[in-house]
Amino acid sequence: MLVIYFAARTVCGKLTSGSTPILLIVTHHKSGTVAARMLYEHITEKNNSYVFLLEDGLKSMWEDQLRLRHGKPFAIHVIRHPLDMLISGYNYHKACSEMAWTNCSVDKYGGTRRGNSRFPDFFPLKYNYCLKLQNMSLSLGLQAEMIRSLYAQDGIGKMFHNMNSFKRYLPVDRILNICLEDLHNNNITTIERLTQFLIPWNTYLKRIH
């Protein structure tokens, strides 16, 4: 569906006159997924056909679109301090609250481990992750979670990679990094930044509606 969408919005690789920049809301596991969902639900009350929520980071297909699109998207990147992200991930996974964290061979969609973005390929196939964390010392458990998050496709490593991709492919006025800590500690200031960032995007929408 995504390929069809972009094909319909372009002609020979160039944006059609009726097209408008889309808005990406990008987050990562334990970097602020709930906050990103709330933001997405608020924005999409009126403009859902132009907004995409990417909960596991920016995938390669989207990076290709950033490189190729003449009309650059707007992007809100919900990020978090790596240390806070690491500790939050360790506590969450150790609690065994989701079956996907019980065994690497099962992903969140009930399929096989192949393609599971939550674990690096070098993790053992039958690795009972949350139970292993429960039986590890705090130091070893944090090291295990650090390795998982750095090399998985939805963690700290992916967050830094996406930050670099946005910086490389998007104009500075098309990307807004929102720290989860700022939402908690400086909520009003962060909302003001978000509002100012969305004004140009809303202007584009008004031109075609």
Side-chain angles (χ1 to χ4, degrees):
M1 288 299 296
L2 184 60
V3 175
I4 295 174
Y5 172 84
F6 279 112
R9 305 300 290 176
T10 60
V11 176
C12 297
K14 294 186 178 180
L15 291 175
T16 61
S17 59
S19 62
T20 188
I22 60 175
L23 173 65
L24 304 178
I25 301 176
V26 182
T27 187
H28 309 272
H29 183 58
K30 307 312 294 180
S31 78
T33 304
V34 174
R37 288 174 183 169
M38 292 175 64
L39 179 61
Y40 172 78
E41 291 170 0
H42 176 74
I43 294 175
T44 55
E45 287 181 1
K46 296 180 179 179
N47 307 310
N48 58 357
S49 61
Y50 299 103
V51 186
F52 294 86
L53 175 62
L54 309 179
E55 294 188 5
D56 291 331
L58 195 69
K59 304 301 184 183
S60 58
M61 178 172 64
W62 280 107
E63 291 200 41
D64 290 340
Q65 292 298 330
L66 292 184
R67 286 192 293 266
L68 298 175
R69 281 177 65 86
H70 293 261
K72 297 295 186 181
F74 288 80
I76 298 172
H77 195 192
V78 182
I79 58 178
R80 190 175 188 181
H81 192 289
L83 182 58
D84 292 335
M85 202 167 163
L86 168 64
I87 295 173
S88 177
Y90 169 76
N91 288 328
Y92 182 75
H93 303 146
K94 185 179 178 180
C96 298
S97 56
E98 287 187 52
M99 185 174 180
W101 298 108
T102 303
N103 196 316
C104 283
S105 63
V106 179
D107 66 21
K108 60 184 176 181
Y109 301 109
T112 63
R113 179 174 177 269
R114 184 178 298 277
N116 185 350
S117 64
R118 295 181 169 187
F119 295 95
D121 289 339
F122 56 78
F123 266 52
L125 190 61
K126 295 296 182 181
Y127 196 91
N128 199 317
Y129 187 60
C130 68
L131 295 181
K132 286 288 187 180
L133 289 181
Q134 292 179 358
N135 290 305
M136 285 179 173
S137 66
L138 175 61
S139 176
L140 289 177
L142 287 172
Q143 289 180 50
E145 175 58 18
M146 179 177 65
I147 293 172
R148 185 210 67 79
S149 189
L150 281 174
Y151 291 97
Q153 292 300 306
D154 68 345
I156 295 172
K158 189 69 172 182
M159 181 178 72
F160 283 124
H161 177 78
N162 286 173
M163 290 176 69
N164 289 331
S165 295
F166 284 134
K167 185 176 181 180
R168 181 177 181 182
Y169 297 121
L170 290 184
V172 65
D173 61 341
R174 292 292 178 97
I175 173 64
L176 176 66
N177 290 312
I178 295 182
C179 293
L180 185 63
E181 294 83 3
D182 290 339
L183 280 173
H184 291 161
N185 302 324
N186 303 294
N187 188 272
I188 295 178
T189 301
T190 303
I191 295 301
E192 289 176 349
R193 289 179 57 221
L194 179 61
T195 301
Q196 291 299 314
F197 174 76
L198 289 175
I199 288 176
W201 180 71
N202 276 309
T203 301
Y204 279 106
L205 292 184
K206 291 177 180 178
R207 291 177 183 175
I208 61 173
H209 290 292

